[in-house]
Amino acid sequence: MTPTLIQGVHKGKVSSAVNSIAASEGFSPEYVQECIGSGSIVIMQRDGHYTGIGKGLRTKINVNLGTSSSKVCLDDEIKKAQIAEKFGADTISDLSMGGDIDRIRKTIFSSTSLPITTVPVYQTVSEIGLKKMTADDILETVRSHAEEGMSSLVIHTVTSAMLAQIRKRKRILGVVSKGGSITSAFMAINECENPFIEHFDTILHICQDHDIVLSLGNTARSGCINDQRDMLQRMEEKNNVYLAEKAHAAGVQVIIEGAGGHIRLDRIAPMIRRYKKMADFPLFVAGPLPTDIGVGYDHIAGCAGASTASAAGADYLCYITPAEHLGLPTVDAVKEGLIAFRIAAHIGDTVKSGVMAEDRSVAMLRSVLDREGQVRCAIDPERASSLSDGEPECTMCGDFCAIKIIQELQ
Amino acid sequence: MTPTLIQGVHKGKVSSAVNSIAASEGFSPEYVQECIGSGSIVIMQRDGHYTGIGKGLRTKINVNLGTSSSKVCLDDEIKKAQIAEKFGADTISDLSMGGDIDRIRKTIFSSTSLPITTVPVYQTVSEIGLKKMTADDILETVRSHAEEGMSSLVIHTVTSAMLAQIRKRKRILGVVSKGGSITSAFMAINECENPFIEHFDTILHICQDHDIVLSLGNTARSGCINDQRDMLQRMEEKNNVYLAEKAHAAGVQVIIEGAGGHIRLDRIAPMIRRYKKMADFPLFVAGPLPTDIGVGYDHIAGCAGASTASAAGADYLCYITPAEHLGLPTVDAVKEGLIAFRIAAHIGDTVKSGVMAEDRSVAMLRSVLDREGQVRCAIDPERASSLSDGEPECTMCGDFCAIKIIQELQ
């Protein structure tokens, strides 16, 4: 059997994945190698396309897309995948739950070169139903997604003890994780343990066979800022760190999803640091949203939360679109959300890694009043150009440009 | 002569302005009275319309609008004023520098009930020119704006020592404050002291006569995140605190503009706290922008910076539009910028004042799956509705809504 990336590292093998990430992120292969060995960096792999996530690396952004049971438009999902790649997403999660899910996933997969993540239980529950599906059905989906070439799979790790905690209903918004709620309901209906935990060794074998990054979901994230960190979150943190260590020991690359959801701004950094103190696995954060009132503009509120999270040490951000809490995002909403989170990731990196060279380049262009240059290096040059108002020079200050005035003075 | 608000407070007079702010912000008149007396709260007044800014009050947002020498469209400026009021701006600054400035200002003034701020030197330099204008011309404009009913006036307080510092040119982007650069150039051309400082007593008399809030401009703000806090900023902070104390002692309400511009995310809160430690006058912050690379999306980057600034104690935020660094904003850009900053102000207030009741209301609507209610209470219900995709129920999760699943489980 081919060794996994981690197993290779333990044998001292420097793979092309390691060399590629080292080169693109500006580190030595030894550094990347060491971090993979300790679990603080993972590499999502797909046909020679590598995305490194973790310690010291640039903060990465994931774009969620896919159909829902009430809205299926494959053309839109293809466009979303393409726009995600065009505007700098690092990974895509296909969360499809409606239509011909196999076909949709395969089409999305072939529409992009980015690594794809799925949440296998979504397909199982969509096709078989919550009451009918069995643990075997779930494992079968996990296996088929792995075989098909997904780079990463998400499982939700709610335990029986956590389920009892959820049932106590102390929060305003109990559980807002879809995968977490489906897994919880499955456990309740069948009066059984979580199949992902019960069959964790099988899952690990599947991940080993295909060198897949295992992502441990964030069932316990809060759904509003008034729902503060609680017992459920503490239980999940501990459990996910335990499972991550087990996965890593088995040579499976692993990411922990945590510190996501709705969190008041001042509580985000402490939450991230607490996680990072417990374990140094790459931390994947959904949002977070520092307010609940941003309906229609949650990508903007999310940028504020995600900037803070990334600055405090989050390695990987799951974007939020303007359509969050309202409906399945349109292609435009996907683009808007992604750009807001690219800005957030960069703001985080200026703090976390002191990376300010791109900012310096833009500032240098401004110092010589090169507006065209600014437009050219904008995340979305077309938009920057349209905001320039068709005028050759900046119309903001016209003749009274501070930069011009001061340069004449100097 | 009618006493100013501060002079009234010192005499124990509780004015209708104080009662109005106390009622709308949920404080006792005594509290507001005390803060006005100490200078930590100011009230911008206009025909019975009051906007309180400062200690303990909700974070306020200013919208800049107005023509430039290269773009004049009065219709657009009227629409900008109207949209600013409609979407919850607290104040408007008319920064017009092109066209018939008197007429434009008067038209904008009559298009809104919000308090208006101006930067008088903009009009003087636009109409007379940098080389021809005199200190008397500048003072004359200050006087005429005051008489016309402006609620607040901005002056730039660069000293000769600061000018010498500017000429040393150690920054990538020297000075990015338009008013500051005009004032500096005037001083250089005429080899004179800053007319606003030299005639500070005259300015104070004008402000006393019309009970106008004096705003001390932020000439020294940095234009890129690689330009860190420097001698110029330290000089301005000290000078502005000195002038603010002098103004306050003369019964003139005063705001300090500071900690604005481009500042790396982790440096924003310390900057705000340093100011607040020096003096407790209301702090007016432009942005700040925690990255320079957001061209075309500076309102989003600005939301991240302004959330952090407001959470750390900034009292009053000057919005940034998507057109920042590119051109004069369109009506739509004004709206987008304002909404991003309303979100930022609110995020700040959840931390600064622990105000989370609006968030709780939205969360309660979510807990009962009341999407219409969410749309209704959105900042922009029209946009929220259009993002809802014309579907009666949320299309995001369809049948697999976590909230529904968990509620059934409970």
Side-chain angles (χ1 to χ4, degrees), chain A residues 357-367 374 377, chain B residues 292-293 295:
Chain A
E358 284 174 72
D359 297 273
R360 179 178 290 270
S361 301
V362 174
M364 296 302 291
L365 292 169
R366 283 183 183 146
S367 75
Q374 284 182 64
C377 70
Chain B
D292 309 330
I293 64 133
V295 189

Side-chain angles (χ1 to χ4, degrees), chain A residues 4-266:
Chain A
T4 66
L5 197 61
I6 293 177
Q7 288 163 344
V9 162
H10 287 324
K11 289 180 188 160
K13 185 180 167 249
V14 184
S15 66
S16 53
V18 167
N19 281 323
S20 160
I21 295 305
S24 67
E25 301 261 359
F27 286 99
S28 68
E30 291 70 30
Y31 171 81
V32 177
Q33 195 85 341
E34 197 189 307
C35 292
I36 290 170
S38 72
S40 60
I41 285 181
V42 301
I43 301 181
M44 290 199 189
Q45 310 171 70
R46 179 185 166 181
D47 318 321
H49 184 118
Y50 305 113
T51 302
I53 300 168
K55 197 173 187 173
L57 307 184
R58 195 168 47 74
T59 303
K60 300 303 185 299
I61 307 143
N62 175 67
V63 157
N64 285 341
L65 48 78
T67 61
S68 74
S69 68
S70 56
K71 191 152 192 215
V72 180
C73 176
L74 184 52
D75 271 0
D76 273 1
E77 301 310 323
I78 295 170
K79 281 184 203 147
K80 288 178 195 174
Q82 288 166 340
I83 218 155
E85 185 157 359
K86 179 175 173 188
F87 285 100
D90 297 291
T91 63
I92 285 175
S93 293
D94 171 19
L95 307 181
S96 292
M97 294 188 83
D100 181 347
I101 297 176
D102 276 331
R103 185 174 150 244
I104 292 165
R105 187 180 56 258
K106 283 171 189 167
T107 312
I108 289 171
F109 187 87
S110 64
S111 308
T112 173
S113 67
L114 295 178
I116 307 275
T117 297
T118 61
V119 188
V121 77
Y122 284 5
Q123 182 172 11
T124 318
V125 76
S126 300
E127 292 181 345
I128 305 181
L130 195 47
K131 285 173 189 161
K132 275 199 187 163
M133 70 180 184
T134 65
D136 280 345
D137 294 328
I138 295 172
L139 289 175
E140 196 37 52
T141 320
V142 170
R143 195 171 286 117
S144 77
H145 286 204
E147 284 169 0
E148 225 176 275
M150 300 304 128
S151 304
S152 168
L153 300 175
V154 183
I155 64 170
H156 291 81
T157 55
V158 48
T159 60
S160 296
M162 283 171 66
L163 182 58
Q165 193 65 29
I166 290 170
R167 285 182 144 151
K168 283 191 191 161
R169 196 181 193 162
K170 277 186 186 157
R171 297 171 164 191
I172 297 174
L173 283 160
V175 164
V176 293
S177 154
K178 193 159 49 175
S181 69
I182 292 165
T183 307
S184 301
F186 178 84
M187 292 162 67
I189 290 166
N190 298 289
E191 293 175 16
C192 64
E193 242 307 336
N194 182 333
F196 296 111
I197 297 181
E198 215 172 349
H199 302 280
F200 196 62
D201 289 336
T202 309
I203 307 262
L204 292 184
H205 279 303
I206 297 170
C207 291
Q208 284 166 351
D209 286 350
H210 303 276
D211 210 352
I212 278 172
V213 175
L214 184 64
S215 198
L216 304 174
N218 189 193
T219 300
R221 69 175 185 264
S222 52
C224 64
I225 64 167
N226 283 279
D227 282 340
Q228 292 190 45
R229 185 167 182 268
D230 57 8
M231 176 62 83
L232 188 64
Q233 287 190 13
R234 285 192 291 272
M235 290 166 91
E236 183 175 72
E237 285 162 16
K238 225 172 140 179
N239 188 41
N240 274 350
V241 168
Y242 165 76
L243 293 173
E245 281 167 353
K246 210 169 151 183
H248 181 73
V252 172
Q253 300 192 88
V254 63
I255 281 171
I256 297 181
E257 301 183 15
H262 298 231
I263 309 172
R264 207 173 75 179
L265 192 68
D266 56 326

